[in-house]
Amino acid sequence: MLSKKCSMSNYLRIQSFLFPSSSLHFQENKLSTKIKFLNKFNLPSLPVPKLNQTLSKYLKSVEPFLSEHELAKTSAIVKKFEENEGPSLQKYLELKAQNCENWLSEWWDNTAYLEYRDPVTVFSSPGLVYPLQEFSNEGERLTYAAKMILGAVDYKILIDKDLIPVDKMGNNVLDMNQYKKVFGTCRIPRPTRDELKFNPDSKHIVVVRNNNFFKMEVITSDGQIPSFNQIFSQLNYIIKNSEILGAPVGILTSDNRDNWCRAYALLSQDKTNRNILDTIETALFLLCLDTPLPKWNDDTLTLAAKQCIHGGGFDGNSGNRWFDKTLQFLVGIDGIVGLTYEHSPSEGQPIAILTDHIVNYIKGSSWKTLPDVKTDKYPEPLRFNVGDELNKAVDIAALNVDKLSDNLDLNVFNFTEFGKDFVKSQKLSPDSFIQIAIQYAFYRIHKVPGAHYESAATRKYIHGRTETIRSCSVESVAFSKEMLDNSSSDAKKIVALRNAINAHKKYTIDAINGFGIDRHLLGLKLAAKELGKDLPEIYKDIAFAKSSQMRLSTSQVATQCQGVMAYGPLVPNGYGCCYNPRPKDIFFAVSCFDDNPETDATNFRNALETSLMDMHNLLARNQQHKL
Ligand code: COA
């Protein structure tokens, strides 16, 4: 099946029968332009869960946040929804699912990303820190950068030829379409809803140094890849021609989407600027040659995460970026290397797998075998014309990104006491173990349950993205309380620990199979909107607000290398916590907002390390007793 688009005429006919007063329009997914999305493994479509099942799971998930009285009120609201508005909205979703490959995908792209008006920087785009390097001179930095470019191009060619290994979850083959969306892609700011542009056939990249942009050919017109020496000498040329700091036009892309959209319209009026925008937008990716950030009190991993998330503000590298590009690799002279990625086309895991490919490519020797190719192209400087109005927009964006970067409190660390192997030896799921440790750390500090988002991949379905795992549960709260109760016994704590981990694992299995709560509830809400109905009461209820104000925004992004992804929190009094569990250690990146008096990243890190060790020691000492 190549592409089962919404068959509109058939659909609208049934539709007007079912919903005579509505003027709804299901749109086919517009993202398919220029990219061939295949379903060569005949992946199934995302299911629409049963209404009563979602509602009973929802009631269970809100319990930790409500008093008895509130829970009784919420139960009545849920029952009313199930009997009144729910069934027709459910029918709408089922109908949509029958007529689309994935009933959620376009809604998700729009509501989770493209209609979001906060800056992509910090609020949406993660950074991924690569294994740290030591460069003793510019030549060593450029050697790494040249190999990084070649490794990325190598992967892009493998993607195009369908030669990358197909991801699997257990026996299930996963949807690989996200890989096709990351090279040559750019988000374009538009009023109310941004746009994604795909240019998979591009042959150039853009390199930025000291805010100066250059176009650089990395695939010749007849499809050849330049040799390492040719790429190296192009980079050397860029270094020699970028000593003077350029106007930080790139900083505009870090501003909120409305400000940036207005500045983008201004930029586009000038022909030279418009051509530069086209060159940047169509580039396969950006390579940012960064200057070091002041160290302050940060250790190198935390500093590296700052470079990768926001670039350190106006005096740092935030102008040496184009945050709308899906992929921006960065190579600092101080040995900080990694990438920033714009989240809308892809989840973190494909980016993590790309990372392992590049890191292995750099370590390997295949780059040495590339012969020189015929090309007389040298990097082309891209110089923006910046008038007074644009300068004002740049000044505002600079102030805003400074506030944003100053306000992001980060603590990134490598936890080396144990890794996945220990947890597996206890016959427990490593991911669920870590999630429950995060829950416990939150409870230890705040003494209240923390609504907790974990991403689960729904890529066993065509065009699948994610479902939320609600990691805060009745069982996770019971476990945290048990652990903090000095009068409790180990036996009771172990039962509570296993209950909490197993409840999380059960939710995970539901989520990856498309039977979570949040995407279904979102679909029902958007169905009501499209049908012109009032927002059902269930969405205005305190239970909905409390359980979806995610004070913990977490995900597993696993690389084999010493990599770690980092991103900001979802809510003002929340934390971001991304982790990379490896057999013997775990990388964590904790974030929160500095101006919030309730949160502190270092405090959370300490609580998390203590929680992990408490759980480890509880299991280890009881295992020893048994032996
Ligand atoms: N006893 C022993 N071993 C166990 C176990 C148990 N009870 N439960 C799980 N394991 C093993 C698994 O078999 C697996 O083994 P492997 O390393 O040989 O493959 C390993 O432990 C890891 O399993 P687990 O920790 O349970 O979780 P997972 O790796 O399946 O990951 C999710 C769970 C939710 C993270 C994953 O399904 C997912 O969705 N990942 C994508 C997340 C995402 O989208 N991130 C990007 C956000 S931008």
Side-chain angles (χ1 to χ4, degrees):
M1 184 168 61
L2 223 157
S3 173
K4 181 186 152 201
K5 292 166 179 167
C6 296
S7 63
M8 291 299 283
S9 53
N10 189 27
Y11 174 70
L12 288 172
R13 196 169 43 78
I14 315 168
Q15 188 51 50
S16 57
F17 172 72
L18 276 172
F19 305 105
S21 61
S22 80
S23 60
L24 51 91
H25 301 285
F26 290 167
Q27 291 172 355
E28 53 187 77
N29 199 326
K30 293 197 194 82
L31 300 182
S32 52
T33 40
K34 288 196 190 171
I35 305 182
K36 284 186 212 127
F37 291 117
L38 300 174
N39 188 4
K40 72 176 183 185
F41 297 106
N42 270 326
L43 297 182
S45 295
L46 183 71
V48 178
K50 294 228 173 352
L51 184 62
N52 61 349
Q53 280 174 3
T54 295
L55 294 178
S56 68
K57 283 181 199 167
Y58 170 69
L59 269 182
K60 186 165 187 256
S61 80
V62 300
E63 225 180 298
F65 309 103
L66 302 180
S67 65
E68 239 175 77
H69 171 70
E70 286 169 332
L71 186 60
K73 205 172 151 226
T74 295
S75 302
I77 291 170
V78 168
K79 190 159 181 277
K80 209 175 117 208
F81 180 73
E82 189 174 353
E83 287 167 358
N84 296 320
E85 311 100 312
S88 65
L89 303 178
Q90 175 74 6
K91 210 178 273 179
Y92 184 93
L93 285 192
E94 287 168 358
L95 193 66
K96 180 162 177 153
Q98 282 163 26
N99 287 273
C100 290
E101 280 191 320
N102 185 315
W103 61 266
L104 180 63
S105 55
E106 188 170 2
W107 272 345
W108 183 249
D109 291 338
N110 291 339
T111 56
Y113 299 108
L114 302 176
E115 290 170 3
Y116 193 66
R117 299 287 90 193
D118 278 334
V120 293
T121 311
V122 174
F123 289 105
S124 170
S125 297
L128 203 166
V129 177
Y130 279 28
L132 300 169
Q133 304 295 308
E134 277 179 28
F135 303 134
S136 46
N137 54 48
E138 189 63 78
E140 285 183 15
R141 187 239 300 244
L142 295 190
T143 298
Y144 182 95
K147 290 185 206 168
M148 192 184 218
I149 291 171
L150 289 170
V153 173
D154 186 64
Y155 200 66
K156 149 80 179 143
I157 288 167
L158 292 177
I159 292 172
D160 288 350
K161 293 184 177 164
D162 273 331
L163 288 177
I164 54 170
V166 176
D167 295 341
K168 282 188 152 188
M169 202 183 267
N171 290 328
N172 290 311
V173 167
L174 300 186
D175 178 77
M176 296 295 284
N177 283 317
Q178 287 179 30
Y179 288 89
K180 294 206 184 272
K181 296 185 193 171
V182 296
F183 285 99
T185 306
C186 198
R187 179 167 169 161
I188 314 294
R190 300 281 187 225
T192 68
R193 180 190 296 163
D194 291 354
E195 188 190 336
L196 269 182
K197 275 195 185 167
F198 297 99
N199 303 282
D201 302 327
S202 270
K203 295 186 164 33
H204 68 276
I205 64 169
V206 165
V207 180
V208 212
R209 180 178 177 246
N210 283 335
N211 307 338
N212 300 292
F213 290 77
F214 293 82
K215 177 181 179 181
M216 180 171 145
E217 183 189 67
V218 289
I219 304 177
T220 61
S221 52
D222 58 348
Q224 311 276 348
I225 314 296
S227 68
F228 167 81
N229 284 338
Q230 287 175 311
I231 295 284
F232 182 92
S233 67
Q234 294 207 61
L235 290 175
N236 216 7
Y237 174 92
I238 289 171
I239 290 289
K240 292 201 172 109
N241 289 279
S242 58
E243 287 302 334
I244 297 166
L245 206 59
V249 178
I251 217 162
L252 292 168
T253 63
S254 69
D255 209 344
N256 70 63
R257 304 307 294 173
D258 292 332
N259 282 356
W260 169 214
C261 181
R262 280 189 291 274
Y264 184 86
L266 264 180
L267 265 177
S268 301
Q269 284 167 11
D270 177 284
K271 209 170 158 215
T272 306
N273 292 343
R274 185 59 256 171
N275 286 340
I276 297 175
L277 288 174
D278 288 340
T279 304
I280 295 175
E281 287 163 12
T282 55
L284 288 173
F285 53 85
L286 235 74
L287 179 89
C288 311
L289 295 170
D290 278 354
T291 48
L293 293 183
K295 281 207 163 124
W296 297 296
N297 289 326
D298 293 321
D299 61 37
T300 316
L301 265 184
T302 301
L303 196 68
K306 290 185 172 176
Q307 282 284 34
C308 292
I309 296 179
H310 50 63
F314 177 75
D315 289 332
N317 296 286
S318 300
N320 208 47
R321 298 277 184 279
W322 200 265
F323 284 101
D324 286 359
K325 281 306 283 179
T326 305
L327 288 175
Q328 299 191 81
F329 297 99
L330 46 110
V331 184
I333 189 78
D334 53 1
I336 287 177
V337 291
L339 62 80
T340 306
Y341 97 92
E342 200 288 301
H343 208 322
S344 47
S346 168
E347 249 56 68
Q349 199 51 46
I351 307 292
I353 290 172
L354 159 75
T355 292
D356 276 329
H357 180 86
I358 293 176
V359 168
N360 289 334
Y361 186 95
I362 290 170
K363 275 195 221 145
S365 58
S366 55
W367 53 273
K368 289 183 191 157
T369 61
L370 290 167
D372 284 350
V373 296
K374 262 199 190 155
T375 172
D376 50 6
K377 291 218 171 129
Y378 252 69
E380 180 189 330
L382 306 168
R383 291 196 190 94
F384 284 104
N385 291 326
V386 186
D388 286 350
E389 254 189 293
L390 270 171
N391 264 327
K392 267 188 220 152
V394 165
D395 288 348
I396 292 168
L399 275 175
N400 287 342
V401 79
D402 277 356
K403 273 191 225 152
L404 209 54
S405 49
D406 286 349
N407 197 25
L408 188 71
D409 181 11
L410 275 169
N411 196 313
V412 184
F413 62 101
N414 185 209
F415 176 80
T416 53
E417 298 296 328
F418 63 91
K420 282 200 291 186
D421 285 353
F422 166 75
V423 187
K424 284 191 203 176
S425 76
Q426 300 299 311
K427 307 260 179 296
L428 291 167
S429 149
D431 187 70
S432 299
F433 184 97
I434 295 168
Q435 283 290 317
I436 295 306
I438 295 172
Q439 265 293 299
Y440 175 26
F442 184 94
Y443 198 90
R444 179 189 281 280
I445 298 172
H446 298 284
K447 310 284 183 276
V448 289
H452 185 160
Y453 180 114
E454 183 193 7
S455 316
T458 49
R459 287 172 55 209
K460 65 184 273 194
Y461 300 109
I462 183 73
H463 302 306
R465 295 282 306 248
T466 57
E467 172 59 276
T468 307
I469 302 169
R470 292 186 165 207
S471 295
C472 181
S473 61
V474 171
E475 292 85 353
S476 74
V477 177
F479 165 67
S480 303
K481 285 185 178 162
E482 203 70 63
M483 289 298 277
L484 294 171
D485 178 355
N486 290 334
S487 65
S488 177
S489 65
D490 274 8
K492 278 189 183 167
K493 288 177 180 170
I494 287 178
V495 170
L497 183 147
R498 290 195 178 270
N499 283 346
I501 289 177
N502 292 336
H504 181 271
K505 187 69 196 174
K506 187 168 173 291
Y507 201 123
T508 302
I509 292 167
D510 278 353
I512 59 183
N513 286 309
F515 297 105
I517 298 169
D518 287 78
R519 303 299 178 267
H520 190 194
L521 287 182
L522 173 70
L524 294 165
K525 183 177 166 190
L526 293 173
K529 193 175 168 201
E530 286 194 4
L531 288 165
K533 298 192 175 200
D534 289 341
L535 185 68
E537 207 184 341
I538 188 173
Y539 298 101
K540 299 181 217 159
D541 180 29
I542 189 172
F544 189 78
K546 281 191 173 174
S547 67
S548 50
Q549 267 289 97
M550 297 296 183
R551 294 193 65 185
L552 286 157
S553 167
T554 68
S555 55
Q556 176 183 143
V557 177
T559 58
Q560 284 162 9
C561 69
Q562 295 192 317
V564 56
M565 189 168 272
Y567 46 72
L570 272 181
V571 295
N573 63 347
Y575 301 92
C577 183
C578 192
Y579 51 91
N580 176 10
R582 305 192 319 149
K584 307 268 180 251
D585 64 359
I586 312 170
F587 281 90
F588 284 100
V590 175
S591 66
C592 62
F593 290 118
D594 205 39
D595 64 0
N596 191 285
E598 289 179 64
T599 55
D600 179 275
T602 304
N603 195 21
F604 194 85
R605 171 207 172 142
N606 293 338
L608 181 55
E609 287 186 301
T610 311
S611 301
L612 285 163
M613 287 315 297
D614 275 5
M615 290 163 70
H616 171 278
N617 294 344
L618 175 69
L619 292 167
R621 70 176 169 259
N622 285 284
Q623 193 178 36
Q624 274 162 14
H625 288 164
K626 264 191 219 154
L627 294 173

